[in-house]
Amino acid sequence: MTEAKTLGTSYDRPASLDNPRSPRRSAKNNFELYAWMFMRLSGVALVILVLGHLLIMLMLDDGVHRINFAFVAGRWSSPFWQVWDLSMLWLAQLHGGNGLRTVIADYARKDSTRFWLNTILVVSMILIMGLGTYVIFTFDPNIVAS
């Protein structure tokens, strides 16, 4: 008696519990490599930006006691501080979003679940970055309380 021929081979099967890290499909580009490099570089940049932010806000002069509307207005009247805070916002959003995208890719089992979670992630990131950018660049230090 001869064995029946099979069409599939062992490497064509989808990722399963016995081999959870097996690739779903072969990638034709280096997106994951660039995403990995971005996480490392943005992490270093964020450490510098956040530690500088904390040093200025908490350690210098009177610390948190001097932070009020006038302090923020004076700070955001300078393009340097606008770019500093905008860089911190954008890098933090992109860094965190990329990390969450990786978690979704690792743990979402169905393609439709992965698609909707990634869609919600991208929409929320765009909204937060857009709103933050809008606030930083349109901040009016001359607002009069009514």
Side-chain angles (χ1 to χ4, degrees):
M1 214 179 205
T2 62
E3 238 178 89
K5 292 184 179 181
T6 58
L7 295 176
T9 57
S10 63
Y11 57 83
D12 286 334
R13 63 192 173 107
S16 61
L17 292 177
D18 62 335
N19 198 2
R21 295 284 181 192
S22 62
R24 286 182 173 78
R25 63 183 90 90
S26 63
K28 301 281 190 236
N29 57 23
N30 288 329
F31 176 76
E32 290 299 327
L33 172 66
Y34 298 137
W36 182 85
M37 287 174 43
F38 171 77
M39 290 296 278
R40 274 50 187 180
L41 296 174
S42 66
V44 170
L46 277 170
V47 166
I48 294 167
L49 289 170
V50 170
L51 287 178
H53 176 81
L54 290 174
L55 174 73
I56 291 164
M57 295 299 207
L58 302 177
M59 302 291 188
L60 299 180
D61 296 334
D62 289 336
V64 295
H65 301 293
R66 71 184 165 118
I67 299 174
N68 56 20
F69 183 82
F71 177 78
V72 174
R75 181 177 163 106
W76 279 355
S77 64
S78 165
F80 174 79
W81 291 116
Q82 285 180 331
V83 170
W84 184 286
D85 288 346
L86 189 68
S87 300
M88 211 167 30
L89 169 72
W90 276 65
L91 279 176
Q93 277 296 310
L94 293 173
H95 184 90
N98 191 28
L100 191 53
R101 180 196 60 82
T102 305
V103 170
I104 290 170
D106 283 346
Y107 290 104
R109 293 177 184 231
K110 292 171 45 181
D111 287 338
S112 61
T113 304
R114 191 175 311 108
F115 169 79
W116 286 111
L117 287 174
N118 281 325
T119 301
I120 292 168
L121 174 65
V122 168
V123 168
S124 66
M125 286 174 55
I126 289 171
L127 285 174
I128 291 172
M129 288 189 303
L131 183 62
T133 303
Y134 176 76
V135 168
I136 289 173
F137 285 129
T138 62
F139 181 76
D140 183 11
N142 300 318
I143 295 175
V144 178
S146 55

